[in-house]
Amino acid sequence: DGGITQSPKYLFRKEGQNVTLSCEQNLNHDAMYWYRQDPGQGLRLIYYSQIVNDFQKGDIAEGYSVSREKKESFPLTVTSAQKNPTAFYLCASSPTPLGLAGVRYEQYFGPGTRLTVT
Amino acid sequence: QKEVEQNSGPLSVPEGAIASLNCTYSDRGSQSFFWYRQYSGKSPELIMFIYSNGDKEDGRFTAQLNKASQYVSLLIRDSQPSDSATYLCAVNIVGGNQFYFGTGTSLTVIP
């Protein structure tokens, strides 16, 4: 059964603690992405990775870190430096990196992790 | 700043009617356009994509693209209560590695 999995579905943490969100895909997609969604706002890109062992910052990378050691996995760590970490976090993937000349591919989302920090 | 604008709604239509959702974008380099449906508390689900000017139909859904006017729309025919959700518009620009999302339009289909 192919798809993108995120775990856990709900996560609660105390302020000052780092927390790691899992994202796994078995679609053999090259590119993976992390977004955050806040009420009333669109999706904002945190980090993306086009290939293993390479990743780039998105628009709101401060306070977050990622790794891409395996093609199928792209975990996101929310550090204590992130000032407003409570949000809905979405992982996505696409068959190839977006932006290649003449190449157009869609992006698919995992089920999301809802993080609450108190 | 690459902007994607959507009317936040809420948009209400009676069951069986046509729902029309609109999206404008600011970057003329935009080349790929996507519509996602997001139910409350769930993740976005891709329902339509369009790359060329004109109409693209898939079942009850029709996406319309007008690059000259920088406008993309989604029509839902024979609207059903199960269509009640937030619809997100997204664009990707030529040579870009990112999608840019609108804030979404909330649609309610009234039985």
Side-chain angles (χ1 to χ4, degrees), chain B residues 54-97:
Chain B
D55 294 0
K56 178 182 178 182
E57 186 174 318
D58 184 1
R60 295 186 297 111
F61 298 100
T62 298
Q64 299 176 316
L65 175 61
N66 184 326
K67 289 188 177 181
S69 300
Q70 296 177 242
Y71 176 96
V72 57
S73 65
L74 179 70
L75 300 178
I76 306 174
R77 291 182 301 282
D78 188 23
S79 295
Q80 301 297 308
S82 59
D83 294 326
S84 297
T86 296
Y87 290 81
L88 302 173
C89 172
V91 305
N92 170 246
I93 65 170
V94 174
N97 289 311

Side-chain angles (χ1 to χ4, degrees), chain A residues 36-44 60, chain B residues 38 86 88 101-104:
Chain A
R36 110 173 233 164
Q37 187 176 37
D38 296 280
Q41 297 194 37
L43 277 66
R44 292 185 290 168
I60 56 165
Chain B
Q38 187 174 23
T86 296
L88 302 173
F101 287 83
T103 54

Side-chain angles (χ1 to χ4, degrees), chain A residues 21-26 29 32 34 49 52 67-76 91:
Chain A
L21 282 58
S22 169
C23 178
E24 305 274 336
Q25 54 96 2
N26 62 4
H29 285 179
M32 297 186 74
W34 275 105
S49 169
V52 174
S67 63
R68 186 89 186 274
E69 297 177 0
K70 298 185 295 182
K71 185 176 184 178
E72 60 269 25
S73 178
F74 191 40
L76 173 74
C91 178

Side-chain angles (χ1 to χ4, degrees), chain B residues 18-31:
Chain B
I18 296 175
S20 178
L21 305 163
N22 304 316
C23 174
T24 59
Y25 57 94
S26 61
D27 195 314
R28 288 195 172 274
S30 300
Q31 66 169 6

Side-chain angles (χ1 to χ4, degrees), chain A residues 9 33 35 37 40-43 45 48 50 57-59 88 90 97-99 103-112 114, chain B residues 31-32 34 36 38 40-46 49 51-52 67 88 92-104:
Chain A
K9 187 174 181 180
Y33 308 79
Y35 294 88
Q37 187 176 37
Q41 297 194 37
L43 277 66
L45 183 65
Y48 64 97
Q50 301 180 63
K57 293 181 179 180
D59 298 322
F88 188 36
L90 291 158
L98 298 174
V103 175
R104 293 164 171 168
Y105 279 100
E106 301 80 53
Q107 192 174 76
Y108 300 92
F109 286 88
R114 198 167 295 277
Chain B
Q31 66 169 6
S32 307
F34 306 84
Y36 290 84
Q38 187 174 23
S40 180
K42 302 295 185 182
S43 65
E45 173 193 9
L46 180 66
F49 55 90
Y51 302 144
S52 303
K67 289 188 177 181
L88 302 173
N92 170 246
I93 65 170
V94 174
N97 289 311
Q98 298 187 29
F99 274 51
Y100 297 91
F101 287 83
T103 54

